[in-house]
Amino acid sequence: MTGTAIAGLGTTELGKVYGRSPRRLAADAVRAAADDAGLALSDLDGLIVSHGLSGSPGIDLAGVLGLRDLRLLTQMNSYGATAIGMVSHAAAMIGSGAASAVACVFADAPLRPERSSGSAYHREAAEWHGVGGLQAALGFRSVNAFYALAARRHMERYGTTSEQLGAIAVATRAWAAGNPLAQMREPISLRDHQESRWVVEPLHLLDCCLVSNGGVAVIVTSAERARDLAQPPVHVWGWGQGHPGRRMERGSDFGLATGAALSGPAAMKMAGITTADVDSCQIYDCYTFTVLVTLEDYGFCAKGEGGPFAASGALGPGGTLPVNTGGGQLSGYYMWGMTPLSEAVIQARGHGGERQAPRNDVILVSGNGGILDHHATLVVSPHAKEGP
């Protein structure tokens, strides 16, 4: 298998972007990614599509873009782990010679002008039947409640505190200040975090991610071809997935460990690295808690020590392990797994401007979905991978 690289990144307007369907946003993102790479749409022979709540876009996006004679066309969904899954599938296809240039795109538009952001991911009553109906009767009527349960279990087991989660929110917002695409750039303090309203205790409003409309796409091709294109190549070193399948099961480790414990070691083994080699992380941060537990599962700190690690200032500007340098999903924008992936591309290229991390030789990217039950990890670098 030959080396592969991300050669193009395309991003639409993000946030409260109204009047454009997810399919149109996806098409605009793919066009922007191709332009970014210096490729024509006709140079693409693969398209992998992911969507959010709407069920669109699908593989019909190929027709919207006028793509012909594709050698790869598919739709993927493992929730927040999908973006990395798309890139790893594209890389495997390119490495095997089955495709040569593959666009991977995610788009969604859950926000409506007349509705609150919180209502965008609200579960309808029609879903509350069977076991789901029992959960709803107990008060579990939103994703927030399940993540709150996970966070509370970690707190009870390891002594993790709300203030430690708040340190993650504060560090992430500090990074967002340097990102012109971030939706929330005003600095916040730990006091701001603690005084923000409860969403589901122990999660405050500032523990929870944004809701955004928009689209993001990347172009994956061979490392050799990427060297001759318009942007610095972002080389793909390794990837892995983990799907425990035991969420809410009696006797499970829900809230204490995630699929990151499977996908992280797999990706790092493929890349030939350890945590000591990682310069920065782009972590799926739908909640502050997911950052904490993912870092533990990857091995950047021992299990149960994620809270003190975050509170030490290690994750923010000037810290020992820069995390979510674009503001992540908490303060930047929420494009599922494309949020951490897009920032990894920007950092690997050295295009982060005032938020550029001091070192960018090895960047670890995570995706999480299905309430800690699906996880994917990617290792990227501005340097071609040595060896086989």
Side-chain angles (χ1 to χ4, degrees):
M1 294 178 67
T2 60
T4 54
I6 297 171
L9 172 64
T11 304
T12 68
E13 294 178 87
L14 301 165
K16 296 180 179 179
V17 181
Y18 303 124
R20 297 161 71 182
S21 69
R23 186 167 65 176
R24 180 180 170 186
L25 290 164
D28 289 345
V30 172
R31 293 187 185 103
D35 287 345
D36 182 63
L39 293 169
L41 288 177
S42 58
D43 292 320
L44 302 178
D45 60 1
L47 175 65
I48 307 178
V49 183
S50 173
H51 60 74
L53 295 180
S54 65
S56 174
I59 59 173
D60 58 333
L61 182 64
V64 174
L65 291 166
L67 300 178
R68 301 288 184 268
D69 300 321
L70 293 177
R71 301 166 66 192
L72 169 63
L73 176 61
T74 192
Q75 182 173 316
M76 295 180 64
N77 187 8
S78 51
Y79 305 110
T82 310
I84 293 173
M86 290 193 293
V87 170
S88 59
H89 186 59
M93 293 290 285
I94 291 163
S96 70
S100 63
V102 180
C104 304
V105 61
F106 169 86
D108 200 10
L111 289 176
R112 298 289 184 270
E114 70 280 3
R115 296 174 59 188
S116 69
S117 296
S119 68
Y121 283 84
H122 179 71
R123 293 174 58 196
E124 298 299 330
E127 297 183 38
W128 299 342
H129 54 79
V131 175
L134 177 61
Q135 292 175 345
L138 294 172
F140 289 86
R141 302 185 181 186
S142 72
V143 172
N144 296 325
F146 288 97
Y147 276 98
L149 181 66
R152 175 60 71 192
R153 188 180 190 194
H154 198 280
M155 289 174 163
E156 294 297 327
R157 175 66 64 88
Y158 298 116
T160 305
T161 68
S162 174
E163 289 82 2
Q164 290 168 343
L165 297 180
I168 296 172
V170 172
T172 306
R173 183 64 65 87
W175 283 117
N179 183 1
L181 293 178
Q183 290 178 231
M184 307 295 288
R185 301 180 66 188
E186 290 295 318
I188 58 172
S189 65
L190 187 57
R191 181 176 179 178
D192 292 327
H193 172 271
Q194 291 291 289
E195 292 181 352
S196 66
R197 66 175 176 85
W198 292 115
V199 174
V200 180
E201 196 172 352
L203 299 178
H204 290 272
L205 178 64
L206 291 178
D207 286 308
C208 305
C209 70
L210 302 165
V211 180
S212 309
N213 292 354
V216 180
V218 294
I219 307 294
V220 185
T221 189
S222 68
E224 182 179 8
R225 186 178 189 184
R227 285 196 293 268
D228 297 326
L229 296 178
Q231 299 291 346
V234 178
H235 295 273
V236 176
W237 280 16
W239 61 80
Q241 293 190 31
H243 308 273
R246 294 184 295 274
R247 180 169 65 86
M248 301 299 290
E249 184 178 299
R250 181 181 178 88
S252 75
D253 54 7
F254 177 69
L256 306 179
T258 74
L262 299 172
S263 70
M268 286 187 269
K269 181 178 180 180
M270 182 185 291
I273 65 163
T274 68
T275 54
D277 300 306
V278 175
D279 295 318
S280 66
C281 291
Q282 307 302 332
I283 303 292
Y284 196 97
D285 59 335
C286 50
Y287 299 86
T288 51
F289 174 69
T290 60
V291 176
L292 184 151
V293 72
T294 300
L295 290 173
E296 289 181 349
D297 287 343
Y298 280 166
F300 287 101
C301 57
K303 182 56 65 177
E305 294 183 3
F309 184 53
S312 73
L315 313 184
T320 56
L321 183 68
V323 170
N324 294 343
T325 50
Q329 299 161 329
L330 292 169
S331 292
Y333 47 85
Y334 184 60
M335 285 284 101
W336 284 23
M338 280 296 188
T339 299
L341 178 61
S342 60
E343 180 63 17
V345 172
I346 290 168
Q347 288 289 321
R349 289 176 172 180
H351 292 174
E354 59 183 276
R355 72 181 192 276
Q356 181 67 41
R359 299 178 302 278
N360 68 343
D361 293 323
V362 180
I363 302 173
L364 197 67
V365 192
S366 86
N368 162 67
I371 313 176
L372 306 175
D373 205 36
H374 304 291
H375 207 97
T377 307
L378 188 71
V379 180
V380 298
S381 172
H383 311 296
K385 183 181 176 183
E386 297 180 357

